[in-house]
Amino acid sequence: MERTLPKIIREVSQKHPDVQAQLSRGEDKEFYGTTYKEMFEASQKFAGGLLSLGTKREEKIGLISDNRKEWEQSDIGLLSIGAIDVPRGCDASVADLKYILSFTEVTSCIVENSAQIEKIMSVKDDIPTLKRFIIFDQPTDNAKDLCKKAKIDLYHFDDIIELGTKFNEKNPGKVTEELEKGDWDDIAGIIFTSGTTGTPKGVMLSHGNFITQLDELDERIYLNPGDRALCVLPVWHVFQRLVEYVILNQAATICYSKPIGAVLLPDLAKLNPHLLPAVPRVFEAVYEGVNKMMRRTGGITYVMYSFFVKIAILHSRASRRLFRKNFRTKYDYPVLCWIFLTLPWLLLSPLKALGNVLVYKKIRAKLGTNFRAGVAGGGAYAKAIDEYFWAMGVNVVEGYGMTETAPVVAVRPVDAPVFGCIGTPIRGVSARIVDMEGNILGKGKKGVLQVKGGTVMKGYYKRPDLTNKILSADGWLDTGDLAIEGVNGELKILGRVKDTIVLNGGENVEPLPIENKLNESKFIETSVLVGQDQRSLGALIYLNKEEAEIWAKQNNISYKMYEDLLKKPELYAMIEAEIRDLVNSKNGFRAFERISKFTFLPKPFEIGKELSAKQEIMRYKIQTIYEKEIKELFK
């Protein structure tokens, strides 16, 4: 395999020049294709344009855009000449952009639209290295004026292509010469894992980190030349970025869509894709959409649907037990399974076949006739959703990883999935389970997951102190996730030790700054954010009892005991308003960092129970102690 990403794309474009690499929606809402030859040639012209402007190897270039064809062409182009991209999406806050672009000292910034220029220019004084913008859409007059006043060069994407065309004609072989210099350990990108809600950490990922995964992922998530993959996620996120490299490495087609039902469902029908990589929330939305439609239909149709779904789930459960498709932490006795389950399985089979004719195939048809698999990543895939699609005959495989592993650690193979786990580690990656003291545990024992191998990052940019906290001298990365290893080497993720909360849309939230903000209220003594793998954040709140009782008296709220006061809707409404005033965009928080639900705790945390000896909250214990309360929050 080639040693850099542009070399891989070059090789694919030479083997499959006329295969469509990208399908993008035009202004008329129709999809138009870009072949591999066209895509690679555009990237090399873009590379030439950057060279003509004086771009050097290892120069950092901001890439602030959502997923579109120009993103990939720009990325391949700048990587071809040894530059390093610093990506972020259009939803990035001004504070995010200020920190990320100044910290990496970007010289050029590629942006999707004028809104991004306006955000960045509002903090231009903090980014003194910035010399130019390259914009995909046509710039507004305001964006032009801002750049002109600040003496910042402004180019359209097509301008760079034109400059590159002329440069390459005058300097034949120069871009190729730079491309050939690239090597395995060169940094390809610096991806920041958090924004205003925590200390931003720039993960340095090399070409080799990405390429290591392409070896076996082509077998587990296989595509044929020209097969279509519907892409709906932000490409600055490492999961989507790696997905696109997997697609391109197999000469398949990236089809650009959005994770919005009104866009995604028509695109599924129109494009008939073979693969749908997405966060769990997308598959949850499909599941809820089908069920909502059936409930609205009602009558005998809904009764029949509900009956056959139950039959399919029961049949699938028996089938998985019989054919060893369940995650297992202990060796069992297959003979006993066959003795007790064969008859129920046989009795359910005719009903399952009838259900396929009446129900299941109609559900599968919504995903298209070509649909081979969905890939769920970026958050935990709920068991109920997993079981539903498995029963319907829709293959959705769960994967796991993190930005620091570029990102894949493990993923179920499309052709041989095992239910209830993330599969075995991919080739080039080793995994082990350790206890809190670092002792290696055997199979079937819960502990912290550590990984090692070619996907592990080079470190955090300019932060060796943070790197040393997560990465050992001998290369083991502490994921901060609790896991268990099955009898056949598959891994199952059980929760998190570290503080970061990952919502089921893939958004990372650092809870401490939000909690600190909440605790500024005179009414809130302690708060703990929850919401791992949920749609939104929730909070467990212990009130300042004295202040709460004073407020109740001032507002003529009667109650007998303090616990009764905590149940008063007036108190809940007051605290809800308090939270809205503290956690909002004005205070630097993004939409997904807002708290949608909360509950009151009747007593304070105790050392040795919820608190460590240093009086730090032990979050992994909170999940167990308050399991009932958390479940009630997200019902």
Side-chain angles (χ1 to χ4, degrees):
M1 188 172 286
E2 292 285 4
R3 296 185 65 80
T4 68
L5 294 162
K7 290 177 184 178
I8 288 174
I9 304 303
R10 178 179 62 180
E11 182 179 344
V12 174
S13 69
Q14 290 170 347
K15 290 181 179 178
H16 305 279
D18 299 321
V19 172
Q20 289 183 341
Q22 300 170 302
L23 274 178
S24 303
R25 187 180 278 104
E27 292 183 4
D28 59 0
K29 306 302 181 183
E30 294 298 318
F31 282 89
Y32 295 93
T34 302
T35 66
Y36 271 89
K37 180 181 179 181
E38 291 168 341
M39 182 186 72
F40 186 70
E41 286 181 349
S43 75
Q44 300 308 282
K45 290 175 182 177
F46 189 83
L50 292 179
L51 287 177
S52 73
L53 296 174
T55 303
K56 307 295 183 184
R57 300 192 71 80
E58 300 185 359
E59 194 168 313
K60 284 72 174 182
I61 297 180
L63 187 40
I64 316 302
S65 171
D66 292 334
N67 210 357
R68 54 190 290 166
K69 67 177 184 179
E70 292 91 348
W71 194 103
E72 200 66 69
Q73 293 169 14
S74 300
D75 181 52
I76 298 167
L78 68 90
L79 294 180
S80 294
I81 59 173
I84 298 169
D85 66 53
V86 182
R88 206 68 175 179
C90 287
D91 63 345
S93 68
V94 172
D96 278 346
L97 296 175
K98 172 185 170 181
Y99 183 87
I100 291 168
L101 299 179
S102 62
F103 190 64
T104 53
E105 301 176 299
V106 300
T107 52
S108 299
C109 194
I110 303 166
V111 297
E112 177 160 346
N113 51 42
S114 296
Q116 310 315 310
I117 291 178
E118 291 168 5
K119 284 194 288 187
I120 295 168
M121 290 304 294
S122 70
V123 290
K124 169 61 182 69
D125 290 344
D126 297 292
I127 316 171
T129 55
L130 183 62
K131 299 176 182 177
R132 69 182 65 88
F133 284 109
I134 299 169
I135 189 170
F136 293 149
D137 292 341
Q138 290 298 328
T140 62
D141 289 339
N142 184 48
K144 293 177 182 177
D145 290 342
L146 287 172
C147 291
K148 185 176 181 179
K149 289 177 182 177
K151 297 182 180 179
I152 298 290
D153 294 332
L154 175 60
Y155 297 90
H156 188 267
F157 177 78
D158 291 341
D159 297 333
I160 303 299
I161 295 293
E162 185 177 345
L163 286 173
T165 301
K166 295 176 180 176
F167 179 87
N168 293 345
E169 289 174 354
K170 294 179 180 178
N171 303 273
K174 182 61 178 176
V175 170
T176 301
E177 178 185 330
E178 292 297 326
L179 190 152
E180 293 295 346
K181 290 179 183 178
D183 208 350
W184 182 271
D185 286 327
D186 291 350
I187 297 174
I190 301 174
I191 301 177
F192 283 79
T193 61
S194 63
T196 58
T197 55
T199 303
K201 300 182 290 291
V203 179
M204 296 186 290
L205 297 176
S206 69
H207 290 260
N209 289 150
F210 289 114
I211 296 171
T212 295
Q213 301 164 81
L214 301 182
D215 177 27
E216 192 177 358
L217 285 182
D218 285 3
E219 299 170 15
R220 297 197 188 193
I221 313 294
Y222 65 90
L223 292 162
N224 299 310
D227 280 358
R228 294 178 174 182
L230 196 64
C231 294
V232 300
L233 302 177
V235 71
W236 74 266
H237 193 286
V238 69
F239 171 48
Q240 179 60 36
R241 179 166 178 168
L242 187 276
V243 159
E244 297 196 9
Y245 292 148
V246 171
I247 296 166
L248 296 175
N249 188 48
Q250 298 181 81
T253 306
I254 299 172
C255 304
Y256 298 97
S257 184
K258 299 285 184 183
I260 303 166
V263 177
L264 172 60
L265 294 177
D267 286 351
L268 279 167
K270 180 178 288 187
L271 297 173
N272 199 11
H274 300 77
L275 189 72
L276 175 61
V279 291
R281 186 186 296 169
V282 171
F283 299 105
E284 185 178 324
V286 174
Y287 165 80
E288 290 175 348
V290 172
N291 280 281
K292 186 182 293 183
M293 179 184 68
M294 298 310 298
R295 284 194 298 270
R296 286 177 177 172
T297 302
I300 188 64
T301 301
Y302 181 59
V303 172
M304 183 177 68
Y305 167 78
S306 301
F307 172 76
F308 281 114
V309 167
K310 290 177 182 176
I311 290 296
I313 289 174
L314 290 172
H315 185 272
S316 295
R317 287 175 180 173
S319 183
R320 289 196 300 269
R321 290 288 300 276
L322 290 172
F323 297 102
R324 325 296 278 169
K325 292 294 184 180
N326 276 335
F327 174 76
R328 294 173 295 130
T329 57
K330 297 179 181 178
Y331 290 98
D332 55 10
Y333 302 95
V335 174
L336 292 178
C337 290
W338 280 93
I339 291 172
F340 290 107
L341 292 176
T342 299
L343 183 58
W345 181 69
L346 289 172
L347 291 174
L348 288 169
S349 292
L351 289 172
K352 175 76 180 287
L354 180 60
N356 187 56
V357 173
L358 298 176
V359 177
Y360 317 144
K361 71 176 185 180
K362 294 178 181 178
I363 293 173
R364 293 195 298 271
K366 293 183 179 299
L367 297 171
T369 57
N370 288 333
F371 190 81
R372 183 176 300 134
V375 183
Y381 185 43
K383 181 180 178 181
I385 309 298
D386 195 0
E387 193 159 51
Y388 174 83
F389 282 120
W390 190 295
M392 296 300 101
V394 176
N395 194 2
V396 179
V397 297
E398 183 182 9
Y400 165 82
M402 53 196 302
T403 306
E404 288 85 347
T405 57
V408 179
V409 171
V411 63
R412 300 182 208 168
V414 166
D415 281 349
V418 174
F419 182 82
C421 70
I422 57 170
T424 57
I426 61 172
R427 278 197 299 269
V429 175
S430 300
R432 68 185 186 187
I433 310 296
V434 303
D435 62 19
M436 292 301 179
E437 284 70 46
N439 300 309
I440 299 174
L441 302 174
K443 293 181 178 181
K445 294 185 178 180
K446 176 180 175 180
V448 179
L449 175 64
Q450 295 184 343
V451 298
K452 182 179 182 178
T455 66
V456 174
M457 66 172 181
K458 295 175 74 69
Y460 293 122
Y461 184 66
K462 292 184 181 178
R463 293 302 305 267
D465 55 328
L466 296 178
T467 302
N468 293 336
K469 287 182 179 180
I470 193 174
L471 192 58
S472 69
D474 58 349
W476 285 99
L477 180 81
D478 188 334
T479 67
D481 288 312
L482 295 170
I484 190 168
E485 184 180 0
V487 294
N488 293 318
E490 297 99 347
L491 299 171
K492 181 180 179 68
I493 303 300
L494 303 173
R496 302 178 76 81
V497 177
K498 64 183 183 179
D499 294 347
T500 305
I501 295 170
V502 181
L503 300 178
N504 75 353
E507 302 94 343
N508 288 356
V509 179
E510 298 291 345
L512 190 59
I514 301 177
E515 290 163 356
N516 288 341
K517 193 67 180 176
L518 291 176
N519 297 344
E520 290 178 9
S521 168
K522 67 178 182 179
F523 297 107
I524 299 174
E525 187 166 308
T526 307
S527 60
V528 178
L529 254 62
V530 294
Q532 178 65 33
D533 303 321
Q534 301 295 333
R535 287 187 175 186
S536 58
L537 291 173
L540 305 176
I541 292 175
Y542 177 71
L543 295 176
N544 182 309
K545 185 178 178 182
E546 182 181 355
E547 291 289 348
E549 289 178 334
I550 292 172
W551 175 87
K553 185 177 180 179
Q554 291 173 341
N555 290 273
N556 300 315
I557 307 295
S558 61
Y559 60 95
K560 291 182 179 180
M561 301 179 65
Y562 181 66
E563 287 73 13
D564 297 326
L565 174 60
L566 297 181
K567 298 175 184 177
K568 295 289 183 178
E570 295 93 337
L571 179 65
Y572 190 96
M574 185 272 288
I575 296 298
E576 188 174 40
E578 192 84 357
I579 290 172
R580 282 200 304 269
D581 289 339
L582 292 166
V583 182
N584 53 44
S585 58
K586 291 181 181 178
N587 291 331
F589 297 100
R590 291 168 289 187
F592 64 80
E593 293 164 341
R594 296 171 190 169
I595 296 162
S596 62
K597 303 174 182 180
F598 61 93
T599 191
F600 298 129
L601 301 180
K603 62 185 186 68
F605 293 160
E606 301 173 21
I607 294 176
K609 190 177 179 183
E610 299 98 339
L611 304 177
S612 69
K614 294 191 293 182
Q615 298 192 29
E616 294 176 336
I617 294 172
M618 295 185 285
R619 296 181 188 275
Y620 66 98
K621 287 192 175 183
I622 295 291
Q623 296 295 324
T624 302
I625 296 170
Y626 296 101
E627 182 180 6
K628 180 181 177 182
E629 288 83 353
I630 294 170
K631 282 184 177 179
E632 284 293 318
L633 272 181
F634 297 108
K635 281 179 67 174

